[in-house]
Amino acid sequence: MYNAKFVIPGAIIFVGLFTAPFWTNVFSAKHEAVKLELPQKPVTFFGEERTQCIEPREWMAANHMEMLIEWRDKALRENKRIYVATDGRKWETSLQNTCMACHTNKAEFCDKCHTANSVSPYCWDCHVEPQGNK
Amino acid sequence: MKASRRYFLKVAGLSTFAMAAGAAKADAAYEGYSEGLKAKRWAMVIDTRRFQKPEDMLPIIEACHKVHNVPSIKGPKEIKWIWDDTFEHAFANDPNPMLPEDVEERRFFLLCNHCTNPSCVRVCPPGATYKTEGGLVAIDYHRCVGCRFCMAACPYGSRSFNFKDPRPFVKEINPAYPTRMRGVVEKCTFCAERLEKGLMPACVEASNGAIMFGDLNDPNSIVRRVLAKNFSMRRKPDLGTDPGVYYII
């Protein structure tokens, strides 16, 4: 390789500098995971008081967006408005009436993660925010 | 060559099977409400003899607009799901200068006719408006791109466009139902979300029996029994859309 003794160290330094923001963030003391306020109060669904989320917490954090899209298509296109979770419990497929019935604080729940991850979904242009914000 | 073809067929067969199994699993996780009302073809009958003045109709219009968060905007950017007008305007292709006085002065409810052959569904480029199993014409607002082809196609003027954010114009927001956003078209849904839970549409409930709702394919349904005994008209039937709202004159 022509001028390898300059090119290879140069390339290594460039990659190091280019990714520096990630490294400083991950290893700095300031970095911490987003702390969500999870609801504690039980809410009644299908005549049963529930405190646990629809699916396990980790699965919900990773897949809630795809689940909501599937809920929408099932409810609107196929008239299937009940979701049977993997543990057999039934839920109405409704963002406003199911999710936000427990997660009454959008600012402390939705927005915290979405802001940290720099995503801006437009759910709330139409869907009504829960009253827990006020 | 022979081996690779065989391999390709194996993989193709297996992946088809896997996809079919996956689809079946996803389907099993959803169901409809057991108390939901089912019909082959929902239809509405309006006994117009019981509505003479705008005051008779206001509570029904308000019941609909309140439950669906319909904004009240004055002027040409108005949004309406159900409204009222004269015979001359409602049945524009049936001009009759010799109408009896009470019919001439009567007001008629106008709303989406949920046609059997809806022209709006045919022209919608993204497939945002569609027909459901019960014969309702529905809109998926998530998919609406605001092109307004459907408004041009609808012969009944049943669709309204959100020229601006409608939320400031909704007096009292019903937290159980969404609003719409700027840039989408909206209209009457025959209360699909209420039928699904075993409730009659909001206008039917508010009308004290003057508006009837049922399955047009079921000879014992209330709409069929009422239509069998009374003369009824539909709006612009000559266009071939086969509207689902019947007016008893």
Side-chain angles (χ1 to χ4, degrees):
Chain A
M1 194 196 215
Y2 183 70
N3 268 350
K5 62 179 173 180
F6 297 113
V7 171
I8 290 167
I12 291 169
I13 291 169
F14 171 75
V15 169
L17 283 176
F18 196 77
T19 53
F22 295 101
W23 304 120
T24 48
N25 248 342
V26 168
F27 295 114
S28 74
K30 274 187 197 162
H31 176 80
E32 51 183 303
V34 179
K35 279 205 186 98
L36 293 181
E37 257 183 39
L38 291 173
Q40 307 295 332
K41 273 190 212 156
V43 178
T44 309
F45 295 99
F46 287 89
E48 181 191 4
E49 282 205 342
R50 295 174 184 173
T51 45
Q52 268 192 323
C53 200
I54 293 166
E55 298 284 355
R57 201 191 148 181
E58 291 70 32
W59 191 92
M60 288 303 291
N63 297 301
H64 65 278
M65 52 306 250
E66 272 143 38
M67 191 187 75
L68 285 172
I69 285 177
E70 202 176 88
W71 276 19
R72 173 194 76 195
D73 292 341
K74 290 281 177 190
L76 292 180
R77 308 263 168 179
E78 295 175 32
N79 272 346
K80 287 183 180 156
R81 290 174 194 253
I82 295 178
Y83 175 72
V84 185
T86 41
D87 60 3
R89 290 182 302 170
K90 288 181 182 179
W91 303 85
E92 185 189 353
T93 57
S94 167
L95 174 65
Q96 274 171 236
N97 298 332
T98 302
C99 305
M100 306 323 273
C102 295
H103 301 286
T104 50
N105 199 331
K106 171 179 162 279
E108 287 292 322
F109 184 70
C110 309
D111 294 351
K112 261 194 173 171
C113 250
H114 291 161
T115 310
N117 289 303
S118 182
V119 289
S120 43
Y122 45 85
C123 312
W124 310 104
D125 286 357
C126 292
H127 290 282
V128 180
E129 285 178 26
Q131 296 303 304
N133 287 344
K134 282 160 196 165
Chain B
M1 204 57 203
K2 228 180 184 177
S4 72
R5 182 173 162 194
R6 199 187 154 111
Y7 176 73
F8 171 77
L9 287 174
K10 264 191 200 164
V11 171
L14 271 175
S15 39
T16 316
F17 178 73
M19 270 168 71
K25 196 183 154 223
D27 246 347
Y30 291 87
E31 52 186 64
Y33 278 93
S34 53
E35 65 265 38
L37 302 174
K38 295 267 174 288
K40 287 241 169 63
R41 206 293 184 224
W42 286 115
M44 183 176 277
V45 180
I46 302 174
D47 188 349
T48 64
R49 295 167 296 192
R50 291 183 53 184
F51 301 106
Q52 283 293 344
K53 293 198 175 70
E55 298 91 79
D56 306 335
M57 322 183 86
L58 210 61
I60 291 166
I61 295 172
E62 267 182 2
C64 166
H65 287 188
K66 205 174 165 189
V67 76
H68 297 117
N69 293 328
V70 179
S72 46
I73 300 171
K74 295 268 178 292
K77 293 178 180 175
E78 164 188 41
I79 292 182
K80 49 201 195 317
W81 284 29
I82 180 167
W83 70 105
D84 62 290
D85 214 330
T86 57
F87 185 93
E88 196 188 351
H89 290 153
F91 302 94
N93 57 343
D94 201 6
N96 184 349
M98 297 302 163
L99 279 174
E101 202 173 335
D102 68 320
V103 177
E104 199 175 9
E105 284 172 3
R106 196 179 293 174
R107 304 289 292 182
F108 295 83
F109 270 125
L110 305 182
L111 68 159
C112 172
N113 281 275
H114 295 269
C115 309
T116 309
N117 307 310
S119 45
C120 52
V121 170
R122 290 185 64 178
V123 298
C124 182
T129 189
Y130 55 95
K131 270 193 86 69
T132 69
E133 254 173 59
L136 309 187
V137 177
I139 310 177
D140 180 354
Y141 303 112
H142 304 87
R143 275 216 202 170
C144 178
V145 294
C147 68
R148 290 180 274 161
F149 282 14
C150 58
M151 291 175 70
C154 176
Y156 306 106
S158 300
R159 290 168 167 261
S160 307
F161 182 68
N162 284 282
F163 285 93
K164 47 191 169 185
D165 180 17
R167 218 172 256 188
F169 302 93
V170 184
K171 267 173 254 155
E172 202 181 314
I173 288 183
N174 169 14
Y177 198 81
T179 65
R180 266 67 55 195
M181 63 181 288
R182 184 173 68 97
V184 300
V185 170
E186 63 180 88
K187 67 163 190 71
C188 156
T189 61
F190 262 4
C191 289
E193 84 288 352
R194 290 171 62 91
L195 295 175
E196 200 52 41
K197 290 190 176 173
L199 297 165
M200 276 282 151
C203 57
V204 176
E205 234 172 48
S207 72
N208 266 332
I211 303 178
M212 286 141 282
F213 193 74
D215 189 354
L216 205 60
N217 277 23
D218 172 10
N220 295 319
S221 72
I222 181 161
V223 288
R224 282 287 294 275
R225 281 184 280 132
V226 168
L227 289 175
K229 292 234 171 87
N230 297 278
F231 171 71
S232 61
M233 283 172 85
R234 291 185 294 171
R235 295 181 68 202
K236 305 185 184 176
D238 45 324
L239 294 176
T241 57
D242 195 3
V245 178
Y246 292 76
Y247 295 87
I248 296 174
I249 306 296

